[in-house]
Amino acid sequence: MDLTVKPGDDFYQYANGVWLKNNPIPAKETRWGSFNVLRDFNINAVKTILNESAENKNAAPGSLEKRVGDFYASGMDSATIEKLGYTPIKADLKRAGSVKDLKAVLNEVALLKTSGTASPMFGFYVGQDRKNVENMIPQLSQGGTTLPDRDYYLKDDARSKKIQEAYKTYITKLFTLTGVPQATAEKNAETIFSLEKKLAEAQMSRVEMRDPYKTYNKFAVAELSKTTPNIDWKPLMAKMKVTGQDTILVSNPKFFTELNSLLTSTPIADWQTYLQWNVLKSAAPYLSSAFVDANFAFTQTLSGQKVQTPRWQRMSSLTDNAIGELLGQLYVKKYFKPEAKARMNEMISNLVKAYEIRIKGLEWMSDETKEKALAKLHAFKPKVGYPDKWKDYKGLAINRNTFFENVRNSGKWSYDDMVSQLGKPVDRTKWGMTPPTVNAYYSPVMNEIVFPAGILQFPFFDPNADDAVNYGGIGAVIGHEISHGFDDSGSQYDKDGTLRNWWTPEDLTRFKERANSLARQFDAYTVLDTIHVNGKLTLGENIGDLGGLNAAYEAFKMTKQGQSNELIDGFTPDQRFFLAWAQVWRMNIRPETAAQLIITDPHSPGEYRTIGAPVNMDAWYKAFDVKPGDKLYIKPEDRIRIW
Ligand SMILES: [Zn+2]
């Protein structure tokens, strides 16, 4: 903490100042805060499991240890990887570079997607139909680009231009590494950039993409083909292993009509280059060091990271990404305590109780809408720690000596697993995050809140800490995830997860007014020189924080400590509650990463998450004696109250 600062002037510094000063960002990281410290702790825990598994000579064939150990060991075998150079993708490059006509281009797109090689041209996935949630449906989305957002192609300020140049240098470098002459490689870079720029121009902004109605466009497959005469979706879907589906959801139909025009206005030779690029960029992190280094040099421009992440750490993350529910079983066995699950379930039920009290007490909402909101609240399904039913990755071949094939096979396995859900009942046992993940999520179509084992640790959660610390930490995280069900997007889904309005028009207007005020509050926060937080992009997360912290506080006040005034280390229970919240969000961040996240990340920067909710809570003013004249002071009548 920095006790020389007045909490009412700068609560973030007050709660975190000395920590921020004493904890610079490690060279291999792009930001450093509570999340990262816990992630670092976890990745080291995972490393122990991986090393033990990889070194266990007695692991039975097909056992968890054997499969996890072999996957990791293959990635650590840098000598073999180095020797192979780019051999693993030679055949793909040749094939992608020799497509002769449009039909072949599209077939190649399907092949790259289904083989776990790359995801060119557009996005595709299988998920619940949000207007008919018992049904799994194929879904098409905009895509085909490489830079983190369409803005990177469309803007021409100095920061964007620097990244565009670095991107072209990166493309050139990867092509030359496969023997393409420098001049041709440079020409390829221009071709790819200009093609991807056209795809970017057809994309919606991230704010537009947050509208679940705007992005819900259902087509009969035959009808969709009429809007894109150059793409006959029925045979293309068959190539993508999707059969027997009459309808398809499209998030952005305009993207596909633009793509349709691009298909014929772009020479086949350019599509060849584009497809080759997709093979190259997807494989680069898994090839020899020349490719990995080129990839890192480009990432550096984007993120500001100083040195490459060590190989063991990259391979740990990759193992978690590829076979996370095999690794997760070992992780949970070794690190997850059943007591934590019991305590979490108790806290979740207290948070739901607190939320119920708050909904009932809302002065801006009618009884009619309250009833629906309460029904939704009580329909929430929590998942804690790890899945009841594990993915077995049946049929996924993992060989200790073939790293690249392991990565490919796992990509292919995931694709097959995804399309295999079509025509089957929705599997509600599935998890969207792996057990070691330090994060949590809400799914509107499942109406579920999910907390992986990884986040159920200090500083979010500590069974030995006082309630103030746990409610200000994981309690607020639970409240945050519940509030996603009631944020500007989640609130459009009903208790069954269906996208269907349950609000009276008056209540909806009042909710939107309040949400707009919160968006304006965050719009006013600056990050770097002229860059502001995007209040509309971060609105869902900020409603989550405001609703979540209020509910956590309400639940905390029901505990024994919450009702006492006993000081610990000189701080009152309420002060400790808000300090726990503030310390969860402390974070040093590289300016390059901050600039990127402001465009791509729906979460506000940690500094503003720290203050954004408390400045709207009377309890915070009381706890720290914040008065008119203090920099963060907001008049009681201007404080935003949503949930
Ligand atoms: Zn969130």
Side-chain angles (χ1 to χ4, degrees):
M1 296 176 70
D2 180 354
L3 301 178
T4 67
V5 177
K6 241 169 107 180
D9 281 342
D10 190 341
F11 188 54
Y12 182 64
Q13 275 299 320
Y14 172 77
N16 298 311
V18 171
W19 188 93
L20 290 167
K21 202 173 73 199
N22 291 340
N23 289 275
I25 309 164
K28 69 180 176 70
E29 302 285 342
T30 57
R31 37 181 171 160
W32 198 244
S34 291
F35 270 86
N36 309 86
V37 172
L38 181 51
R39 276 183 191 141
D40 203 59
F41 170 83
N42 257 8
I43 201 105
N44 278 293
V46 165
K47 183 190 187 187
T48 310
I49 295 173
L50 292 169
N51 280 328
E52 282 171 7
S53 302
E55 285 157 18
N56 182 356
K57 300 275 181 281
N58 299 323
S63 66
L64 284 175
E65 285 82 358
K66 177 77 179 152
R67 300 181 84 194
V68 169
D70 281 354
F71 189 95
Y72 179 68
S74 75
M76 293 305 289
D77 183 3
S78 51
T80 303
I81 294 166
E82 203 57 30
K83 222 181 321 171
L84 286 171
Y86 73 103
T87 314
I89 55 167
K90 272 185 181 160
D92 298 321
L93 287 173
K94 191 161 176 237
R95 194 191 60 244
S98 52
V99 290
K100 288 284 172 285
D101 52 27
L102 263 193
K103 198 172 160 218
V105 168
L106 291 169
N107 286 346
E108 180 65 21
V109 166
L111 178 62
L112 293 177
K113 285 185 192 292
T114 52
S115 59
T117 304
S119 184
M121 214 175 257
F122 55 83
F124 170 72
Y125 64 101
V126 170
Q128 283 163 276
D129 177 346
R130 53 191 183 275
K131 288 191 181 176
N132 180 14
V133 290
E134 296 307 326
N135 195 30
M136 301 299 287
I137 187 168
Q139 317 203 12
L140 289 169
S141 62
Q142 62 188 32
T145 45
T146 305
L147 294 173
D149 189 88
R150 65 169 199 173
D151 275 14
Y152 286 87
Y153 296 89
L154 310 180
K155 283 186 167 174
D156 60 358
D157 57 283
R159 195 178 267 122
S160 307
K161 276 195 154 146
K162 189 179 159 204
I163 289 168
Q164 290 167 8
E165 283 318 307
Y167 180 39
K168 290 179 192 171
T169 305
Y170 175 46
I171 302 173
T172 308
K173 180 75 187 173
L174 285 197
F175 273 104
T176 58
L177 286 175
T178 65
V180 172
Q182 179 75 19
T184 314
E186 282 172 18
K187 207 176 126 261
N188 287 353
E190 293 300 331
T191 301
I192 285 152
F193 188 84
S194 96
L195 185 48
E196 289 190 357
K197 187 177 177 185
K198 285 176 193 142
L199 292 169
E201 281 162 356
Q203 293 176 358
M204 282 183 185
S205 72
R206 281 177 195 267
V207 171
E208 288 173 281
M209 291 295 291
R210 296 196 66 242
D211 183 339
Y213 283 100
K214 194 169 184 173
T215 51
Y216 186 94
N217 305 282
K218 198 182 248 182
F219 286 88
V221 174
E223 288 305 308
L224 181 63
S225 298
K226 279 185 198 158
T227 72
T228 60
N230 294 319
I231 312 174
D232 191 351
W233 287 99
K234 198 165 178 214
L236 182 58
M237 293 312 268
K239 292 265 180 203
M240 287 167 63
K241 302 189 176 181
V242 175
T243 49
Q245 298 291 314
D246 301 329
T247 52
I248 190 159
L249 279 182
V250 184
S251 64
N252 178 5
K254 180 178 147 263
F255 176 83
F256 287 90
T257 54
E258 296 288 327
L259 172 63
N260 179 69
S261 314
L262 266 181
L263 279 172
T264 41
S265 63
T266 307
I268 294 293
D270 289 2
W271 285 119
Q272 293 173 346
T273 308
Y274 173 78
L275 291 169
Q276 287 185 315
W277 171 240
N278 275 272
V279 171
L280 262 175
K281 73 169 183 188
S282 306
Y286 317 119
L287 300 174
S288 58
S289 52
F291 290 85
V292 174
D293 292 348
N295 174 263
F296 177 64
F298 170 57
T299 333
Q300 265 188 311
T301 312
L302 280 173
S303 71
Q305 191 176 327
K306 299 290 180 227
V307 304
Q308 172 70 287
T309 321
R311 173 167 283 274
W312 71 261
Q313 190 173 334
R314 279 178 281 136
M315 292 310 126
S316 298
S317 305
L318 182 66
T319 310
D320 187 40
N321 277 334
I323 47 171
E325 290 195 17
L326 295 183
L327 170 63
Q329 294 179 56
L330 299 173
Y331 174 81
V332 163
K333 211 176 347 174
K334 194 163 171 136
Y335 295 101
F336 189 64
K337 296 180 186 68
E339 308 92 85
K341 193 162 182 165
R343 187 79 201 279
M344 262 306 274
N345 284 332
E346 181 196 315
M347 285 189 74
I348 291 170
S349 110
N350 290 349
L351 257 293
V352 169
K353 252 181 255 160
Y355 225 98
E356 181 181 324
I357 294 170
R358 294 196 62 85
I359 289 175
K360 285 180 175 161
L362 293 175
E363 81 277 3
W364 58 269
M365 188 184 270
S366 70
D367 287 345
E368 196 184 339
T369 307
K370 276 182 188 175
E371 204 178 295
K372 304 273 174 47
L374 289 168
K376 178 163 184 178
L377 176 72
H378 290 123
F380 272 107
K381 283 171 289 292
K383 289 178 174 172
V384 176
Y386 52 90
D388 292 331
K389 195 181 100 196
W390 296 96
K391 274 189 202 175
D392 59 7
Y393 303 88
K394 201 166 166 243
L396 169 57
I398 299 169
N399 185 312
R400 202 179 178 93
N401 307 311
T402 56
F403 170 59
F404 194 86
E405 283 73 8
N406 292 344
V407 176
R408 271 283 165 84
N409 289 345
S410 79
K412 183 176 179 300
W413 191 91
S414 297
Y415 186 91
D416 289 343
D417 183 52
M418 177 181 79
V419 290
S420 77
Q421 300 175 89
L422 286 165
K424 289 191 197 143
V426 173
D427 182 355
R428 295 184 179 273
T429 65
K430 265 194 193 304
W431 279 54
M433 285 178 184
T434 65
T437 307
V438 182
N439 211 335
Y441 69 92
Y442 169 72
S443 161
V445 278
M446 293 279 196
N447 198 28
E448 65 181 13
I449 44 176
V450 186
F451 306 92
I455 197 172
L456 306 181
Q457 302 176 78
F458 184 80
F460 298 92
F461 177 69
D462 181 347
N464 300 315
D466 51 311
D467 278 326
V469 172
N470 281 323
Y471 278 88
I474 199 76
V477 173
I478 298 168
H480 172 101
E481 300 310 337
I482 292 177
S483 299
H484 272 314
F486 300 106
D487 72 18
D488 60 319
S489 172
S491 64
Q492 302 185 59
Y493 296 79
D494 72 5
K495 70 175 178 42
D496 303 316
T498 307
L499 183 61
R500 178 168 56 197
N501 179 49
W502 46 271
W503 294 69
T504 67
E506 299 77 26
D507 288 333
L508 193 56
T509 306
R510 283 191 284 262
F511 173 67
K512 283 185 177 164
E513 279 165 9
R514 281 166 164 73
N516 285 336
S517 305
L518 193 63
R520 280 195 298 274
Q521 178 191 328
F522 278 82
D523 273 335
Y525 294 145
T526 26
V527 183
L528 279 177
D529 45 73
T530 58
I531 302 180
H532 285 250
V533 175
N534 182 342
K536 284 218 157 65
L537 177 64
T538 57
L539 184 54
E541 296 299 334
N542 298 332
I543 294 176
D545 281 349
L546 183 56
L549 194 61
N550 268 299
Y553 181 76
E554 184 100 35
F556 170 56
K557 296 309 274 182
M558 297 177 201
T559 67
K560 201 166 151 238
Q561 188 195 13
Q563 285 160 14
S564 86
N565 281 315
E566 199 184 316
L567 303 186
I568 301 180
D569 292 341
F571 294 99
T572 67
D574 277 21
Q575 287 175 334
R576 288 174 67 78
F577 171 85
F578 286 109
L579 286 169
W581 165 258
Q583 293 183 352
V584 155
W585 298 115
R586 63 192 179 195
M587 154 102 57
N588 284 312
I589 184 162
R590 299 197 190 283
E592 295 88 342
T593 299
Q596 179 180 338
L597 293 182
I598 230 52
I599 296 173
T600 57
D601 189 354
H603 303 88
S604 299
E607 180 177 354
Y608 297 119
R609 294 189 75 170
T610 301
I611 60 167
V615 297
N616 289 306
M617 292 171 67
D618 300 345
W620 176 76
Y621 288 81
K622 220 167 133 197
F624 294 97
D625 194 28
V626 180
K627 290 261 158 48
D630 292 350
K631 288 190 186 124
L632 294 175
Y633 182 83
I634 296 174
K635 284 187 283 183
E637 63 268 31
D638 293 335
R639 293 174 199 161
I640 302 162
R641 296 158 218 269
I642 305 182
W643 294 103

